[in-house]
Amino acid sequence: MKRIKAACICQTLHFMLKEDAPKDYAIQQVKNDVEHYKNQLERNHTKYRITEETTLEDGSVLIKIIKQYNQSPVGSYLD
């Protein structure tokens, strides 16, 4: 028998600008999307660590994150 002792997932997320929206509005919308994503992680009690958050020249945001996989224990992944 096997059991999961610890599990995390490593992701790179690219919050991109909407092409059909004015640039200022699209940049603000991306910032709102990033905040909504972070709030959703908190609301769901998902353990996570953002290892890198970069705003690119066009205003889009790139996030590298390590987060809890489902409800599995995270072990030492987030230390």
Side-chain angles (χ1 to χ4, degrees):
M1 178 189 305
K2 66 178 178 178
R3 297 196 184 225
I4 296 173
K5 295 299 240 179
C8 280
I9 187 167
C10 184
Q11 295 180 323
T12 301
L13 305 171
H14 188 188
F15 292 87
M16 299 172 30
L17 301 176
K18 293 186 178 180
E19 295 178 13
D20 58 342
K23 186 164 180 126
D24 291 339
Y25 175 78
I27 289 172
Q28 186 59 43
Q29 192 63 38
V30 164
K31 290 178 183 178
N32 291 343
D33 290 345
V34 169
E35 285 306 309
H36 181 265
Y37 178 74
K38 291 177 183 178
N39 290 337
Q40 184 177 1
L41 290 171
E42 294 291 333
R43 192 170 44 251
N44 293 335
H45 305 289
T46 302
K47 295 175 184 173
Y48 68 96
R49 184 178 67 202
I50 295 176
T51 58
E52 184 179 334
E53 183 171 342
T54 308
T55 301
L56 303 177
E57 290 180 18
D58 66 350
S60 62
V61 176
L62 197 66
I63 293 179
K64 293 186 180 181
I65 185 172
I66 301 171
K67 69 178 186 174
Q68 184 177 23
Y69 181 72
N70 294 336
Q71 294 299 316
S72 299
V74 296
S76 61
Y77 285 114
L78 299 178
D79 292 342

